[in-house]
Amino acid sequence: MNVLVLGSGGREHALAWKLKQSPLVKKLVCAPGNPGMAGLGECVAADLNDIAGLATLAERRKADLTVVGPEAPLVAGVADEFTRRGLPVVGPTKAAAELEGSKVFAKEFMKRHGIPTAGFTACWDHGDAYSALCAVEWPVVIKADGLAAGKGVRIAQEPDEATAIIEAFMEKGELGAAGEKVVIEECLEGEELSFIVLTDGKTVLPLAPTQDHKRLRDNDQGPNTGGMGAYSDDAIADAPLRARLMKEIVEPTLRGLEAEGRPYSGFLYFGLMLTAEGPRLLEFNCRMGDPECQPLVARLEDDLAETLANLAAGKLSGSSLQWSANASACVVLASAGYPGKPETGKAITGIEAAEKLEGVTVFHAGTKLADGKLVTAGGRVLGVTARGTDLRDAVDHAYAAVEKIRFEGMQFRRDIAARGLKRLEARR
Ligand code: AMP
């Protein structure tokens, strides 16, 4: 089978790494890929905004399967174009991807289908938004409607702060069209959980639970980022909780989409908060999480290429997803300046030494080759990922691998999986 992976981040490297392990995969092409992915297959230049160009690339490369990593091409309709041309693809249609593409749509959808979420007001212009502030309890969460690469969700402690955010999003247009509408939402408290499923619209296969770390610094301090690390073990959500999530959140979502004429196919990510009143859905993503994907593929025992080919053919019912009973963790190494403007072009050393450690894989995100040398090229640079006999072992291996890697200004969190490790201690 010829497989095409679209994207160039840590998530896509992790997907490509797992796909390449399948005996079914004859040729792997990554578009545009990154230096890590270049070690697995051929990387070809591509513009992820050029939907027709991506479909033509898949035709030329005779792709039997295309896996779309990031959300932007899905929200723009890449899966529709592939399906129109008879090209097998993993990812939802533009209509179904609106779950991620519009927070106003997502929240109103949750309300229509009785899916538990934070109380909210959808605001179509700044007048709506300023009036909504008169009737809220503080703090509030303000969310830009459209895709904003992790910059669209802000928490305001008091009215002046909220007013400044609304002004920036809705009047000054800081996020462009993404901030033209906003959702103002009740601020919830609790532990977060990423629950991702794979579905062809009929069969639903839940992935192992994961938890990511959005804030830049230890103890959840500092600004929000795209994610500074993630881990997976089954104790993040035990079997009764997973069954509850399927019944109260996943199934009503898929039924609702079907009823509204937007059947879903692909990875569907549920970003949840486990509050004292029960699980609440914060957001949908129409693709795998990044960095959740990295620890997930490290635990996946099945042939991902076979499962995804079945999904693209609408025959997921014959597939399964088996996860190792153990645990995995991914520590993201980021550039100085991230999540603001990252300093780039710094030489990276030590990846080979890190990967010599047992169970360790280093996934590339913001890297490039300059004069034959590997240098930093983005905010999140590497995802150092390790499997272990248990979570303690996985985390220790990941940090031992981090010790081997160097680049100027490297920043990372030292408390990845802290909540999971506490749970593990409590069980001992
Ligand atoms: P979202 O893109 O909607 O998941 O939001 C990004 C992050 O903002 C989440 O992972 C949470 O950490 C935080 N967040 C979002 N919505 C809420 C909420 N209603 N209450 C508290 N925190 C939230």
Side-chain angles (χ1 to χ4, degrees):
M1 175 156 77
N2 297 326
V3 177
L4 173 63
V5 174
L6 299 183
S8 62
R11 166 185 49 215
E12 290 78 23
H13 185 185
L15 288 168
W17 174 83
K18 185 66 196 171
L19 288 163
K20 189 63 204 281
Q21 290 168 15
S22 166
L24 299 173
V25 176
K26 205 170 70 203
K27 184 155 173 61
L28 180 70
V29 175
C30 306
N34 64 36
M37 295 163 87
L40 299 168
E42 186 190 353
C43 291
V44 296
D47 174 1
L48 293 179
N49 298 313
D50 176 10
I51 300 304
L54 295 172
T56 302
L57 172 69
E59 280 171 348
R60 289 211 182 112
R61 293 306 179 120
K62 300 196 170 29
D64 302 297
L65 177 69
T66 297
V67 182
V68 187
E71 59 279 14
L74 291 165
V75 170
V78 75
D80 308 63
E81 180 63 15
F82 272 59
T83 304
R84 201 180 61 74
R85 298 201 201 178
L87 296 161
V89 62
V90 176
T93 60
K94 180 177 178 160
E98 202 174 354
L99 284 184
E100 178 166 3
S102 166
K103 297 241 189 234
V104 170
F105 172 78
K107 294 291 293 193
E108 289 182 337
F109 176 90
M110 292 179 213
K111 195 165 153 191
R112 281 199 292 284
H113 296 284
I115 297 162
T117 185
F120 72 100
T121 310
C123 307
W124 294 73
D125 60 38
H126 60 266
D128 282 357
Y130 294 128
S131 345
L133 293 182
C134 303
V136 295
E137 284 184 30
W138 300 91
V140 286
V141 183
I142 301 175
K143 298 183 171 182
D145 178 56
L147 296 184
K151 297 196 174 82
V153 176
R154 305 265 286 273
I155 297 180
Q157 300 297 332
E158 38 82 28
D160 283 351
E161 205 182 340
T163 304
I165 296 167
I166 291 167
E167 200 182 322
F169 285 5
M170 305 186 87
E171 295 195 76
K172 294 192 181 141
E174 249 175 42
L175 301 173
E180 280 170 7
K181 289 181 260 174
V182 301
V183 168
I184 297 183
E185 162 170 317
E186 171 195 10
C187 190
L188 300 177
E189 274 179 34
E191 198 170 322
E192 285 187 55
L193 161 67
S194 306
F195 194 62
I196 307 171
V197 303
L198 197 54
T199 180
D200 61 356
K202 303 182 285 277
T203 302
V204 187
L205 301 177
L207 277 57
T210 49
Q211 215 165 42
D212 78 345
H213 300 67
K214 283 253 185 288
R215 301 291 201 94
L216 179 68
R217 285 190 274 282
D218 289 4
N219 301 315
D220 294 329
Q221 302 295 308
N224 261 337
T225 69
M228 293 300 290
Y231 70 99
S232 175
D233 77 348
D234 287 344
I236 296 172
D238 60 14
L241 175 58
R242 292 201 295 269
R244 183 173 178 191
L245 296 176
M246 289 297 287
K247 186 160 171 277
E248 292 180 9
I249 294 174
V250 176
E251 286 162 14
T253 297
L254 295 173
R255 270 200 311 272
L257 286 166
E258 178 82 39
E260 295 189 12
R262 303 172 189 245
Y264 198 96
S265 170
F267 290 101
L268 181 53
Y269 172 126
F270 297 83
L272 299 153
M273 181 86 86
L274 304 176
T275 73
E277 284 76 44
R280 297 284 181 271
L281 183 61
L282 294 182
E283 64 161 343
F284 295 109
N285 291 328
C286 63
R287 34 77 192 174
M288 265 288 225
D290 187 347
E292 289 92 334
C293 184
Q294 290 83 319
L296 280 170
V297 295
R299 285 188 68 200
L300 179 59
E301 292 188 334
D302 292 288
D303 183 330
L304 184 63
E306 185 182 356
T307 304
L308 294 184
N310 287 343
L311 178 139
K315 293 180 188 151
L316 196 58
S317 59
S319 297
S320 69
L321 287 175
Q322 298 296 325
W323 305 91
S324 75
N326 307 336
S328 55
C330 168
V331 180
V332 168
L333 306 183
S335 297
Y338 180 73
K341 193 174 177 321
E343 285 176 24
T344 56
K346 310 291 179 194
I348 305 169
T349 58
I351 293 180
E352 222 172 277
E355 287 196 320
K356 284 208 176 100
L357 298 176
E358 200 191 320
V360 171
T361 310
V362 179
F363 294 117
H364 291 230
T367 70
K368 71 171 187 187
L369 287 175
D371 298 328
K373 292 214 171 66
L374 192 69
V375 298
T376 62
R380 292 189 294 171
V381 176
L382 298 168
V384 182
T385 307
R387 273 189 305 271
T389 48
D390 62 14
L391 190 59
R392 176 82 266 163
D393 191 47
V395 169
D396 288 350
H397 275 86
Y399 280 108
V402 167
E403 287 298 310
K404 309 271 182 205
I405 299 174
R406 294 269 181 280
F407 57 84
E408 196 187 313
M410 180 169 113
Q411 45 172 349
F412 61 94
R413 281 182 60 159
R414 288 165 205 277
D415 66 343
I416 298 304
R419 286 198 178 85
L421 291 172
K422 229 185 245 166
R423 267 192 297 269
L424 185 67
E425 288 303 320
R427 285 204 306 277
R428 277 181 173 160

